[in-house]
């Protein structure tokens, strides 16, 4: 990808200055960008809902006004994780440690803050809580982990898109109700947050933050329409919430002695279940996971951390499903259907960029899908070349696929400096323009005298690929052809991905030929939307193919549920 978002930097106007070859863009290139930008400017402020109508996407002064405030790339909002021990309590499993390791595996989904809440299962009034700003390894020390005793717990790692990056917004949220404590962690962003917020406030419930997660937590404390007898009916409350807010979220909700896992009816955000197996099971074996004994259960945004905590992947939480996890096991409580029988809309960019490559979605590993994207890209946009390579590490799987399909050799051409932090603040224009030199070195022996196809997973603002091309040309590359293993990003997302505003997306300013000239490439081409869908669907293993669908809103402007009237940006 053209650079992972620098999480806490203010938005900068990188498109106005452009970067080509480590120096300011030439007058000709500036003119090219500005002229193309002006030509397209009339179309930037609208997008289409799924019914084909045109609606405004212009940012306004609101809780979402800060979205897109990243310097170059995309950021995911959050990762959630939960764990519960089976059998007799107190358990021998260190539940807090399992959750912490699970969150480390999800660190790519958010680096601003994290938190863990545990319960010993015998007191409804109090949970053990530790939250803080920063990376997981810096938040959870030996002393803090010792305080997180429990037989069950949930955790969260966060990047904010809908509320400020402040400690008050750290999750999981904990509220104390008349029926005991409740903790909640949330990945996603409520589309109709304003109408739901007004509904909650009208019932006399106060809200102390602008976080969707607090809003969901307070909404769960409201009685469902059909009423309750003999105490709270949590599944009914959850179902009522899902009917009020059909997307976008995956939730883990903890009560005294149980955890609920919830996925929105569209299945827009991911959520999966794993089984903690005895250590005596040893290495991974090809026996059915349902035959293995369970020492506990885990639920997570992604499956990538399961093997490292001694768990085995079981299945995804289905779109609209409410699962209940107790010491006795896991069961489905209910499934809420998509409104108006719409198709599911799993975020296709999980495959393209956000998920870790060893995670499993829809019965297939993310790495395999990215490999297939590269193959499809070679079919659609082949070019005469000597070698294929990638921008580490985002485009590597697709580059291998491209090389195999094109019958070319794959070779590493860039060496990444792993000690350059993502949040490094570059203090001057010149240092910003030289920023890529800090992050990458060129492997000259692999590059010199070669025609190169360089694969990346996406281009957002286009302010990093230019210096990379300059670096490769300085190392002796004869030609540099850029191939992007996803379609051009044209629209923002309001469902938990912090995509910049339309004005900042380079694909809305320059077509592929113009962009190639702007960044100094010999040619540039994207994977088509149909090609991406084909790659994703090739090896999918799902029970009801007729219901399967993918959200491509950021690529096509076709938003799965339409855009609500109160959408503020």
């Amino acid at each position: 990808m053209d650079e992972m978002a620098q999480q806490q930097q203010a938005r900068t106007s990188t498109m106005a200055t452009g970067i080509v070859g480590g120096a300011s863009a030439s007058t000709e290139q500036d003119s090219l960008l500005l002229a193309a930008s002006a030509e397209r400017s009339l179309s930037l402020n609208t997008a289409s809902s799924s019914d084909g109508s045109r609606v405004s996407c212009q940012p306004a002064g609101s809780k979402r006004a800060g979205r897109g405030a990243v310097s170059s790339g995309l950021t995911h909002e959050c990762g959630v994780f939960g764990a519960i021990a089976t059998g007799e309590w107190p358990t021998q499993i260190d539940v807090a440690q399992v959750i912490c390791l699970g969150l480390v595996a999800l660190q790519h989904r958010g680096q601003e803050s994290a938190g863990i809440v545990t319960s010993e299962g015998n007191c409804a009034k109090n949970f053990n809580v530790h939250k803080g700003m920063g990376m997981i390894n810096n938040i959870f020390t030996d002393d803090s982990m010792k305080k997180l005793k429990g037989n069950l717990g949930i955790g969260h790692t966060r990047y904010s898109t809908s509320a400020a990056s402040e400690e008050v917004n750290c999750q999981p949220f904990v509220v104390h109700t008349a029926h005991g404590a409740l903790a909640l962690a949330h990945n996603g962003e409520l589309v109709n947050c304003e109408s739901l917020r007004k509904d909650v406030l009208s019932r006399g419930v106060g809200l102390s933050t602008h976080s969707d997660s607090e809003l969901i937590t307070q909404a769960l404390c409201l009685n469902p329409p059909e009423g309750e007898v003999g105490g709270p009916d949590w599944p009914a409350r959850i179902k009522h919430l899902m009917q009020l807010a059909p997307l976008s979220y995956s939730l883990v909700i903890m009560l005294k002695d149980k955890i609920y896992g919830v996925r929105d009816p569209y299945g827009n955000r991911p959520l999966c279940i794993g089984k903690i197996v005895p250590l005596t099971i040893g290495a991974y074996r090809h026996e059915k996971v349902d035959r293995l004994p369970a020492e506990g259960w885990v639920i997570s945004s992604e499956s990538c951390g399961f093997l490292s905590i001694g768990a085995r992947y079981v299945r995804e939480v289905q779109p609209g499903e409410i699962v209940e996890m107790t010491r006795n096991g896991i069961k489905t409580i209910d499934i809420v259907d998509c409104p108006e029988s719409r198709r599911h809309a799993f975020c296709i960019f999980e495959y393209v960029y956000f998920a870790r490559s060893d995670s499993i979605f829809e019965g297939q590993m993310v790495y395999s899908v990215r490999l297939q994207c590269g193959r499809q890209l070679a079919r659609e946009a082949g070019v005469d070349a000597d070698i294929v390579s990638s921008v580490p590490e985002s485009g590597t799987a697709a580059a291998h696929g491209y090389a195999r399909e094109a019958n070319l050799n794959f070779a590493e051409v860039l060496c990444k400096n792993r000690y350059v932090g993502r949040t490094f603040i570059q203090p001057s224009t010149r240092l910003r323009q030289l920023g890529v030199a800090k992050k990458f070195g060129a492997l000259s022996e692999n590059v010199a005298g070669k025609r190169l196809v360089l694969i990346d997973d996406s281009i957002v603002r286009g302010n990093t690929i230019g210096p990379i091309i300059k670096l490769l040309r300085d190392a002796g590359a004869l030609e540099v052809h850029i191939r992007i293993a996803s379609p051009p990003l044209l629209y923002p997302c309001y469902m938990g991905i912090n995509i910049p505003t339309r004005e900042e997306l380079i694909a809305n300013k320059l077509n592929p030929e113009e962009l190639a000239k702007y960044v100094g490439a010999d040619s540039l081409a994207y994977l088509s939307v149909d090609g991406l869908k084909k790659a994703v669907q090739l090896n999918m293993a799902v029970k009801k193919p007729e219901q399967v669908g993918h959200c491509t809103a950021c690529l096509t402007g076709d938003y799965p549920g339409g855009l609500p009237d109160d959408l503020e940006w």
Side-chain angles (χ1 to χ4, degrees):
M1 190 168 184
D2 63 330
E3 188 180 347
M4 182 64 176
Q6 297 180 3
Q7 307 289 351
Q8 298 178 25
Q9 235 178 307
R11 184 183 306 157
T12 57
S13 181
T14 55
M15 290 292 85
T17 55
I19 301 171
V20 179
S24 296
S26 67
T27 302
E28 178 186 358
Q29 288 161 330
D30 281 343
S31 299
L32 171 67
L33 177 61
L34 294 173
S37 175
E39 183 179 344
R40 291 171 175 82
S41 64
L42 292 178
S43 64
L44 291 183
N45 297 327
T46 59
S48 62
S49 66
S50 58
D51 63 2
S53 59
R54 307 297 292 180
V55 292
S56 173
C57 281
Q58 187 73 356
S62 69
K63 84 177 184 93
R64 286 189 172 98
R67 38 183 324 109
V70 293
S71 65
S72 62
L74 308 182
T75 49
H76 204 293
E77 186 171 2
C78 301
V80 299
F81 196 91
I84 187 168
T86 58
E88 295 298 318
W89 289 350
T91 179
Q92 297 301 308
I93 295 175
D94 190 336
V95 168
Q97 191 68 39
V98 167
I99 297 169
C100 187
L101 291 173
L103 292 179
V104 168
L106 298 177
Q107 184 77 85
H108 58 284
R109 299 183 76 90
Q111 299 90 40
E112 283 191 357
S113 64
I116 294 176
V117 178
T118 61
S119 169
E120 296 178 50
N122 53 17
C123 178
K125 293 183 179 180
N126 295 300
F127 291 156
N128 303 312
V129 182
H130 187 74
K131 299 188 284 186
M133 302 295 295
M135 303 288 277
I136 291 161
N137 288 338
N138 296 326
I139 297 170
F140 299 105
T141 64
D142 288 342
D143 288 340
S144 63
M145 292 299 290
K146 289 176 183 177
K147 299 175 183 177
L148 291 171
K149 296 179 180 179
N151 298 300
L152 65 159
I154 62 174
H156 186 270
T157 183
R158 179 175 187 265
Y159 176 81
S160 61
T161 63
S162 64
S165 176
E166 299 170 350
E167 192 156 355
V168 68
N169 290 313
C170 294
Q171 297 185 44
F173 272 102
V174 178
V175 296
H176 297 274
T177 76
H179 309 289
L182 175 148
L184 178 141
H186 165 228
N187 165 219
E189 187 170 0
L190 294 181
V191 173
N192 62 333
C193 59
E194 290 305 313
S195 60
L196 185 59
R197 187 178 186 86
K198 291 173 184 175
D199 186 18
V200 169
L201 291 172
S202 69
R203 303 194 191 196
V205 177
L207 296 170
S208 58
T209 74
H210 281 288
S211 167
D212 285 352
S213 307
E214 186 198 18
L215 178 58
I216 293 170
T217 306
Q218 296 291 5
L220 286 172
C221 295
L222 303 176
N223 292 332
E226 58 272 21
E228 297 171 320
V229 178
D233 184 345
W234 291 111
R237 293 185 180 201
I238 294 170
K239 186 175 180 179
H240 181 226
L241 168 71
M242 296 172 75
Q243 292 165 343
L244 291 174
L247 52 75
S248 160
Y249 49 84
S250 286
L251 310 173
V252 286
I253 303 164
M254 185 177 73
L255 304 173
K256 177 185 75 171
D257 56 359
K258 65 184 64 174
I259 295 172
Y260 290 104
V262 184
R263 194 174 176 198
D264 73 61
Y266 286 88
N268 185 253
R269 301 263 62 86
L271 195 64
C272 63
I273 299 166
K275 178 190 286 188
I276 301 175
V277 299
L279 294 177
T280 53
I281 296 294
Y284 187 87
R285 299 199 302 231
H286 291 288
E287 54 190 302
K288 291 185 176 180
V289 69
D290 57 359
R291 295 179 181 175
L292 298 175
E295 291 190 344
W297 295 91
V298 291
I299 189 164
S300 176
S301 293
E302 294 182 41
S303 61
C304 52
F306 284 178
L307 289 177
S308 64
I309 58 172
R312 300 291 183 267
Y313 175 82
V314 176
R315 67 174 179 88
E316 288 184 287
V317 176
Q318 296 304 306
E321 185 178 9
I322 305 169
V323 296
E324 181 185 80
M325 304 167 65
T326 68
R327 58 162 51 164
N328 299 316
I330 188 165
K331 65 181 180 180
T332 299
I333 298 297
D334 206 343
I335 296 180
V336 177
D337 293 330
C338 245
E340 302 174 7
S341 300
R342 295 179 185 267
R343 293 172 70 90
H344 297 152
F346 178 55
C347 175
I348 206 163
F349 242 75
E350 291 282 356
Y351 284 114
V352 171
Y353 174 69
F354 290 113
R356 221 171 77 172
S357 59
D358 53 339
S359 289
I360 297 171
F361 298 136
E362 298 174 314
Q364 58 188 339
M365 191 164 281
V366 170
Y367 180 89
S368 300
V369 173
R370 292 175 182 168
L371 195 77
Q372 191 59 38
C373 285
R375 286 187 177 275
Q376 184 65 27
L377 184 59
R379 299 184 195 113
E380 294 182 3
V383 64
D384 290 336
D386 301 311
I387 58 172
V388 177
S389 192
S390 65
V391 178
E393 287 101 2
S394 56
T396 303
H400 280 289
Y402 189 105
R404 293 177 192 180
E405 186 67 24
N407 198 25
L408 293 170
N409 290 327
F410 174 88
E412 293 185 16
V413 299
L414 293 169
C415 179
K416 189 172 185 179
N417 182 355
R418 302 180 186 279
Y419 298 98
V420 176
R422 285 172 172 166
T423 57
F424 186 87
I425 298 174
Q426 297 146 336
S428 71
T429 300
R430 183 176 182 276
L431 288 179
R432 270 199 302 275
Q433 293 163 356
L434 293 172
V436 134
K438 299 189 316 296
K439 294 188 174 183
F440 296 108
L443 301 175
S444 301
E445 289 185 0
N446 291 347
V447 175
K450 301 290 177 64
R451 298 171 299 168
L452 166 67
V453 178
L454 187 68
I455 310 292
D456 206 352
D457 58 7
S458 59
I459 288 184
V460 183
R461 288 181 170 91
N463 59 347
T464 307
I465 197 69
I468 290 176
I469 294 169
K470 168 69 161 54
L471 189 68
L472 294 171
R473 291 199 188 280
D474 288 347
L478 293 181
E479 298 176 8
V480 181
H481 300 274
I482 302 299
R483 294 295 181 267
I484 306 301
S486 64
L489 278 165
L490 300 171
Y491 299 90
C493 173
Y494 58 87
M495 291 169 286
I497 306 297
N498 194 359
I499 292 180
T501 60
R502 292 197 67 194
E503 292 85 349
E504 296 172 295
L505 294 170
I506 192 67
N508 283 318
K509 297 174 180 290
L510 303 175
N511 64 34
E513 292 76 20
E514 293 166 339
L515 183 55
K517 185 176 181 180
Y518 177 66
V519 299
D522 291 279
S523 70
L524 185 146
Y526 296 93
L527 181 64
S528 67
V529 175
D530 287 341
L532 175 58
K533 290 180 178 178
K534 183 177 181 180
V536 167
Q537 295 170 4
L538 183 66
N539 295 310
M540 261 188 342
V542 292
K543 293 181 179 178
K544 297 180 178 179
E546 70 280 359
Q547 293 184 354
V548 172
H550 295 94
C551 178
T552 59
C554 58
L555 311 174
T556 64
D558 184 12
Y559 291 90
L563 288 172
D565 293 336
D566 61 359
L567 188 63
E568 293 181 319
W569 53 264

